Amino acid sequence: MKPFAVFPLHQQQDLARVESFEHSRFLAGGTNLVDLMKHQIESPEQIIDLSGFEQAYQINENDNRVTIGAMVSNTELADFAYQQPGLSLLAQALLAGATVQLRNRATTGGNLLQRTRCYYFYDTTKPCNKRQPGSGCGAINGFNRIHAVLGTSEHCIASHPSDMATAMTALNATVHTQNASGETRQIPVRELYQLPGDTPHIETQLAADELITAVSIDKTPRGTHIYQKVRDRSSYAFALVSVACTLQVKDGIISDINLACGGVGPKPWHAQAAEEYLRGKSATTELFKQAADVELSPAKGSGYNDFKIPMLKRTLVHVLTQATEQQQQHPEHEGAIYAR
């Protein structure tokens, strides 16, 4: 790890005192950035330490919305969301991610911005357009079992690793930011991330001086919530594929649905095509298979990851079937299926 300076940030206004963001990185829980610095994938000259950013440790709510500070830990957020039927999808996703120790340290803002776990991104002896633009992509013709099948480009097939971000994409969360000039923005999390195209090193639409201060989620009835994660082992493993779903069925008709998929795209994948195909139609297994085919029609495997396409279809159909059965057996059900 190379030497670096530390700038402590205690409040949003402190951003104006940072002299340069060109070679700086924000440090929240550090569960990803510190690893990247140890591998010298990231070598910032200055760390902007957010541990004293007290106003970002709060979860606030009113009748319409929950606002989660960027420094709220994954453990605290999972505990809060578990008690809220309207956020139970988020609790399921958080509890499916990482280990207890990591969840205690990881933060809401940091989780949204964690980097890919692509082997070629972490191996500095291999080409990687995300780590070193123009160097090539070792994964496309390499061992690409964990890589993306949707939204990729000829320059990058890395997948996004976050369970939490996948759930927040399904819940249509909004990211709140502030920059060094004091300007604020609200960005739907579905629009936060960029596809790799020919610039895979640019992963979000955030500017270098733009700090995530909070994330908000509307309190909207969404019916039954399910987060299904398929992985190589039962804990501490990233998703091969995952599905985040909320579903409302009235008189056998899908009245509302929100779908997002993890492990299959360079960003948490909003399954918008499947949503539009399903909404307003009679809930049947055949319809679910058709919707999955619509969503997966542009999917493209790279060899070792070809299995993800049929696996995601099966997982989508299973989740939709399970949520529909719950809605039909318990009309007006809200939240997760797990017992309280």
Side-chain angles (χ1 to χ4, degrees):
M1 189 180 293
K2 295 181 179 179
F4 54 87
V6 176
F7 177 91
L9 186 144
H10 298 288
Q11 53 187 348
Q12 293 171 214
Q13 292 82 347
D14 290 343
L15 279 173
R17 296 195 293 109
V18 179
E19 294 183 357
S20 172
F21 291 89
E22 185 178 1
H23 301 293
S24 299
R25 290 289 184 272
F26 293 110
L27 179 71
T31 57
N32 188 202
L33 179 60
V34 172
D35 279 347
L36 295 172
M37 291 171 66
K38 287 178 179 176
H39 290 283
Q40 297 194 12
I41 297 166
E42 291 275 9
S43 298
E45 295 177 2
Q46 177 177 251
I47 290 294
I48 302 172
D49 178 15
L50 304 176
S51 60
F53 187 15
E54 294 184 0
Q55 63 199 94
Y57 283 89
Q58 306 295 320
I59 298 176
N60 299 305
E61 60 178 320
N62 56 33
D63 291 341
N64 302 316
R65 175 176 280 201
V66 173
T67 301
I68 305 150
M71 290 299 289
V72 171
S73 75
N74 285 183
T75 296
E76 293 169 316
L77 181 55
D79 182 59
F80 174 81
Y82 185 84
Q83 302 173 56
Q84 307 279 331
L87 296 180
S88 61
L89 182 68
L90 189 55
Q92 294 173 69
L94 285 163
L95 294 175
T99 62
V100 172
Q101 292 87 348
L102 282 170
R103 292 198 295 268
N104 287 343
R105 187 69 187 170
T107 65
T108 302
N111 195 315
L112 287 172
L113 299 182
Q114 64 178 297
R115 309 293 300 277
T116 180
R117 262 56 180 182
C118 173
Y119 320 122
Y120 299 89
F121 175 72
Y122 275 84
D123 186 344
T124 56
T125 67
K126 304 296 183 184
C128 173
N129 288 320
K130 187 180 288 294
R131 171 172 34 81
Q132 186 177 355
S135 63
C137 175
I140 289 178
N141 295 312
F143 184 61
N144 45 46
R145 183 172 179 272
I146 66 169
H147 290 74
V149 295
L150 289 164
T152 59
S153 76
E154 60 180 319
H155 302 289
C156 183
I157 60 170
S159 59
H160 195 277
S162 173
D163 295 292
M164 186 198 77
T166 301
M168 285 191 170
T169 297
L171 294 171
N172 199 14
T174 299
V175 175
H176 299 243
T177 71
Q178 179 172 325
N179 67 13
S181 301
E183 298 168 340
T184 61
R185 284 206 294 170
Q186 295 186 20
I187 309 167
V189 73
R190 294 175 179 177
E191 299 173 12
L192 174 66
Y193 303 98
Q194 297 190 17
L195 293 177
D198 57 3
T199 56
H201 59 292
I202 302 174
E203 299 174 345
T204 72
Q205 60 163 292
L206 298 180
D209 67 339
E210 196 167 11
L211 174 68
I212 293 178
T213 57
V215 179
S216 63
I217 303 174
D218 288 343
K219 289 182 174 179
T220 302
R222 297 182 177 92
T224 296
H225 296 209
I226 296 177
Y227 185 74
Q228 182 77 55
K229 180 177 180 178
V230 182
R231 48 188 165 178
D232 284 324
R233 56 180 183 267
S234 60
S235 68
Y236 197 31
F238 295 98
L240 294 171
V241 308
S242 68
V243 172
C245 171
T246 73
L247 180 72
Q248 285 181 307
V249 176
K250 293 183 179 177
D251 300 324
I253 303 298
I254 297 172
S255 58
D256 189 37
I257 182 167
N258 293 281
L259 277 175
C261 304
V264 294
K267 62 179 185 178
W269 194 260
H270 177 209
Q272 186 175 3
E275 285 180 357
E276 293 173 354
Y277 191 84
L278 292 164
R279 196 171 284 118
K281 294 180 181 175
S282 179
T284 66
T285 301
E286 185 58 33
L287 181 74
F288 300 155
K289 292 178 180 177
Q290 293 169 5
D293 286 337
V294 168
E295 189 63 49
L296 287 164
S297 61
K300 178 185 176 183
S302 300
Y304 290 102
N305 66 346
D306 291 350
F307 73 97
K308 285 192 173 187
I309 298 173
M311 177 180 279
L312 180 57
K313 179 178 179 178
R314 290 195 300 272
T315 308
L316 275 167
V317 172
H318 174 73
V319 166
L320 289 166
T321 300
Q322 196 176 16
T324 298
E325 290 174 352
Q326 179 71 10
Q327 283 281 292
Q328 291 174 335
Q329 293 171 13
H330 304 281
E332 309 298 328
H333 173 257
E334 288 286 335
I337 292 177
Y338 52 68
R340 290 183 177 277

